[in-house]
Amino acid sequence: MAPYTPTVLPRSTSPRPLVSALRATPRSQVLIIGGGINGVGTFRDLALQGVDVALVERGDYCEGASGASSHMIHGGIRYLENGEFRLVHESVVERNRLLRIAPHYVKPLRTTIPVFTTFSGLLNAPLRFLTHRSGKPRARGALLIKLGLALYDAFSREGGSVPRHRFVGRRRALAELPRLRPDVKYAATYFDASVHNPERLTLDVLRDGLEANPAARAVNYVSAVGMHDGAVRLRDKLTGEEFDFAADVVVNATGAWTDRTNSALGAETDYMGGTKGSHIVLDAPELLAATGGREIFFEHADGRIVLIYPIGDRVLVGTTDIDAGQDLTPVCTEEEVSYFFELIQHVFPGITVRPDQIVYTFSGVRPLPRHDDTAPGFVSRDYRIERSARSDSDPVRLSLVGGKWTTFRALSEHLADSVLRELGIPRRQSTAELPIGGGAGFPEGLAARREWIASHLPGLADARAEVLLERYGTRAEEVASFLAEGPDRLLDSTQELSVRELAYMAQREQVGHVVDVLLRRTSLAFRGLVTRKMVWEVAEALAPHLGWDSERVHVEVQDAEHTLADLHGAVVSALNPAGAAPGEEGAVTSEGAVNV
């Protein structure tokens, strides 16, 4: 697949209010560069401490590795083999915590490991533990998995009520999951958690920070391009304007881009050595039924850990673990797709999946530390903070190396504490049990959801109310009030979006492009539900709120189509001719899906 060449979008003619606010007061105590979950989590924590903090993100929030995750909140059972006991303990504690403080997005996930041998791996595992080299692959047998799950259970007891693991033999395993390979010997089942909408959870964390402290500021599509007289040079990517911004502490939370960001700031570093992880999403009812509503987590013949699990009515399959090198904007390749199909056959040999069942693919670079000859699967998922002392002219710089989704709250707390020490400010509030955004008061269980909707979203059709509750958590009440303040209608192309809700996203959620809505403000692209008509409708609904003229609308549509098709690995047919809007001569107005 050829790499995607982004459309050159015309620059906006007027500055954005949020950027104007940065220019008007071009200084803060802390400047965070990077709007993934770790940067946003640190922003929230510092804002809650009363710190004057600003955040800039070169693209959209949660656009990089944070948005290309396996959608799991997990303790990392396989990290036990790496000897990363501290990380596993922290991860399971944070998993349990996120189930409590972010129940609108983080849900329990039953996970089953099919086991095909009894003793395999007992000799190879200690070697891998000691050397962190994969060596010749050896499947992990029942005894090794049983030992690992017993340790995992011990770590999981703190701060949660997650059930202990359960081991069953072949007959019970096939009774529960009849489409498994018939030579399965055992099935081990335990619980972790999943996050079905990591992008919206990131936005919720950001919103918490903005509401906690009026001095806190955050803006997307602003990149750090240099240093000038001790200040960071910022560039608004939507208008092209540049300005200097000073801070006492600069936090580099740009993930896989950390070294490149430091280089732009005049400091060469060699901290990072990320690995590429790709996934596919399938509309495959037979495979969906075969999972029995649980994640299937297992080791492939090449020693890689892989997963198959349902998200709604789709099935996510992943992941690869390949050295990324210098390619920080990867795509899922045909070779990786073939690999995923092979691993599905490995565990469900009687099920056939086809390329035309792929509705979405995505790929990202894990922000892992430089690892030299350590095998990619054994590179530490832990994190550390690198400090660069203040010079006569430059601020203190703290660079985050590593980190993963599950531990973002704890990581953010540690990073915020490092900043507070630099500033000489004491911590005044913990985030450990503080509900995140729309997770506060979130109803659990079908009856509770219906009661909440009846009380807080009166007048909305049940299906529409369910969409809002799923998308915003209990903040859906605020969204519904906004919708009621003006005339509204659902889009013709989907029952999940209205013109008024798009106005809300444009005004309150920093939408910069059409793809921000399709990829990150909603899960429409992830589920393969985007149509060309939808792309046009979204662009035209956003236009009056973002100051787009007809030319900009056309270019936004073209950019969205190319992004969904090329960047995410789709085969797209019958593209709208350039410059042709729906209803114009030569335009395609069918409901043909953009298969991404």
Side-chain angles (χ1 to χ4, degrees):
M1 182 180 303
Y4 168 62
T5 303
T7 304
V8 179
L9 295 169
R11 287 176 175 171
S12 301
T13 56
S14 57
R16 291 182 286 161
L18 292 172
V19 179
S20 297
L22 287 181
R23 293 197 66 168
T25 309
R27 178 173 181 82
S28 63
Q29 290 174 293
V30 182
L31 173 64
I32 299 173
I33 305 172
I37 187 58
N38 291 319
V40 168
T42 304
F43 173 82
R44 173 185 187 248
D45 197 308
L46 288 172
L48 286 163
Q49 313 316 317
V51 174
D52 178 9
V53 57
L55 180 147
V56 295
E57 160 57 41
R58 64 190 291 270
D60 193 17
Y61 301 111
C62 201
E63 182 178 341
S66 293
S69 75
S70 294
H71 290 59
M72 292 178 63
I73 300 295
H74 66 109
I77 184 173
R78 70 187 183 92
Y79 306 152
L80 291 171
E81 193 170 273
N82 293 16
E84 296 187 273
F85 300 117
R86 189 211 70 80
L87 178 61
V88 174
H89 178 261
E90 181 178 74
S91 295
V92 295
V93 169
E94 291 300 309
R95 177 202 65 195
N96 295 343
R97 179 171 283 131
L98 287 172
L99 285 166
R100 295 194 303 273
I101 67 175
H104 53 325
Y105 296 132
V106 180
K107 311 289 184 182
L109 177 64
R110 177 181 291 181
T111 301
T112 291
I113 305 173
V115 186
F116 301 98
T117 68
T118 302
F119 302 105
S120 179
L122 287 177
L123 296 179
N124 201 41
L127 182 63
R128 290 191 286 195
F129 176 86
L130 292 171
T131 67
H132 288 182
R133 293 177 175 85
S134 58
K136 186 178 180 179
R138 289 284 191 277
R140 293 162 177 84
L143 289 180
L144 189 61
I145 291 171
K146 180 71 176 177
L147 175 61
L149 286 173
L151 287 171
Y152 201 58
D153 282 346
F155 282 126
S156 297
R157 291 304 91 204
E158 185 175 335
S161 56
V162 176
R164 292 181 181 275
H165 80 274
R166 183 172 62 94
F167 237 86
V168 299
R170 176 180 180 275
R171 182 179 298 178
R172 184 68 178 272
L174 290 174
E176 294 181 4
L177 297 167
R179 305 301 297 273
L180 280 176
R181 264 172 54 186
D183 63 335
V184 66
K185 289 191 173 182
Y186 312 92
T189 297
Y190 65 101
F191 277 85
D192 263 327
S194 63
V195 53
H196 286 195
N197 205 323
E199 296 85 359
R200 290 222 59 92
L201 178 52
T202 302
L203 289 173
D204 230 15
V205 174
L206 181 76
R207 173 83 173 270
D208 280 356
L210 291 170
E211 291 182 347
N213 186 348
R217 295 168 287 171
V219 62
N220 55 0
Y221 293 107
V222 170
S223 58
V225 296
M227 292 288 294
H228 182 256
D229 292 337
V232 178
R233 187 72 172 171
L234 300 179
R235 176 184 297 149
D236 183 345
K237 296 178 70 175
L238 300 186
T239 66
E241 63 176 322
E242 293 188 4
F243 57 97
D244 292 334
F245 193 91
D248 299 314
V249 179
V250 173
V251 175
N252 180 353
T254 55
W257 282 265
T258 294
D259 291 328
R260 296 186 187 183
T261 301
N262 283 337
S263 179
L265 299 180
E268 298 297 327
T269 58
D270 194 18
Y271 299 142
M272 308 305 297
T275 66
K276 173 189 176 183
S278 296
H279 303 75
I280 61 174
V281 181
L282 294 161
D283 182 5
E286 187 180 14
L287 180 61
L288 179 68
T291 66
R294 63 184 78 183
E295 175 192 32
I296 308 300
F297 184 80
F298 62 98
E299 184 177 20
H300 197 32
D302 61 3
R304 294 180 187 174
I305 299 295
V306 291
L307 55 92
I308 302 171
Y309 82 91
I311 295 184
D313 59 357
R314 301 292 189 257
V315 182
L316 186 147
V317 184
T319 173
T320 51
D321 202 354
I322 305 166
D323 279 317
Q326 296 302 308
D327 182 10
L328 300 187
T329 55
V331 297
C332 183
T333 65
E334 293 179 5
E335 291 78 12
E336 287 174 301
V337 170
S338 296
Y339 171 74
F340 292 138
F341 281 12
E342 178 185 322
L343 69 88
I344 292 170
Q345 285 291 302
H346 176 77
V347 73
F348 293 119
I351 294 178
T352 299
V353 290
R354 306 182 310 273
D356 64 359
Q357 291 178 300
I358 299 174
V359 298
Y360 191 69
T361 76
F362 59 99
S363 187
V365 178
R366 301 176 182 90
L368 304 181
R370 179 181 174 183
H371 52 273
D372 298 322
D373 61 346
T374 299
F378 288 88
V379 180
S380 174
R381 268 53 175 177
D382 212 339
Y383 55 87
R384 70 179 193 269
I385 300 164
E386 294 283 351
R387 182 182 186 274
S388 175
R390 179 194 296 270
S391 66
D392 291 339
S393 59
D394 293 338
V396 169
R397 185 179 66 253
L398 300 177
S399 297
L400 175 62
V401 180
K404 67 193 196 82
W405 246 103
T406 303
T407 58
F408 84 84
R409 192 218 59 86
L411 180 155
S412 299
E413 184 176 73
H414 293 156
L415 187 48
D417 283 342
S418 295
V419 172
L420 293 173
R421 283 193 294 271
E422 297 289 346
L423 298 176
I425 297 175
R427 172 173 289 275
R428 69 186 193 188
Q429 183 174 5
S430 171
T431 62
E433 297 303 326
L434 185 66
I436 294 174
F442 186 77
E444 297 190 38
L446 181 60
R449 288 171 69 96
R450 289 174 175 170
E451 182 179 346
W452 191 93
I453 286 173
S455 299
H456 298 271
L457 303 178
L460 283 179
D462 288 346
R464 182 68 173 136
E466 282 286 351
V467 167
L468 294 182
L469 182 59
E470 186 78 13
R471 186 172 291 156
Y472 300 97
T474 53
R475 277 183 167 147
E477 185 173 17
E478 174 202 311
V479 178
S481 296
F482 182 92
L483 301 184
E485 291 172 359
D488 196 14
R489 64 172 178 83
L490 292 173
L491 302 187
D492 293 336
S493 55
T494 177
Q495 298 296 294
E496 296 186 23
L497 265 180
S498 71
V499 293
R500 187 79 181 148
E501 187 181 357
L502 286 166
Y504 176 89
M505 292 176 178
Q507 295 176 25
R508 311 251 179 120
E509 293 191 340
Q510 299 189 37
V511 170
H513 296 295
V514 167
V515 293
D516 297 344
V517 171
L518 303 176
L519 294 175
R520 289 174 287 276
R521 303 306 183 276
T522 71
S523 60
L524 290 163
F526 183 89
R527 290 179 288 146
L529 300 179
V530 176
T531 63
R532 277 165 189 77
K533 185 172 185 178
M534 187 189 300
V535 175
W536 277 102
E537 283 194 287
V538 170
E540 290 170 340
L542 291 174
H545 305 287
L546 298 179
W548 295 348
D549 58 17
S550 59
E551 178 188 2
R552 178 60 181 264
V553 168
H554 281 75
V555 175
E556 283 284 341
V557 168
Q558 183 183 46
D559 178 66
E561 289 181 340
H562 286 173
T563 299
L564 293 172
D566 298 333
L567 186 58
H568 294 282
V571 177
V572 176
S573 60
L575 284 171
N576 280 315
E584 295 182 353
E585 184 177 356
V588 175
T589 57
S590 71
E591 292 290 332
V594 179
N595 294 318
V596 296

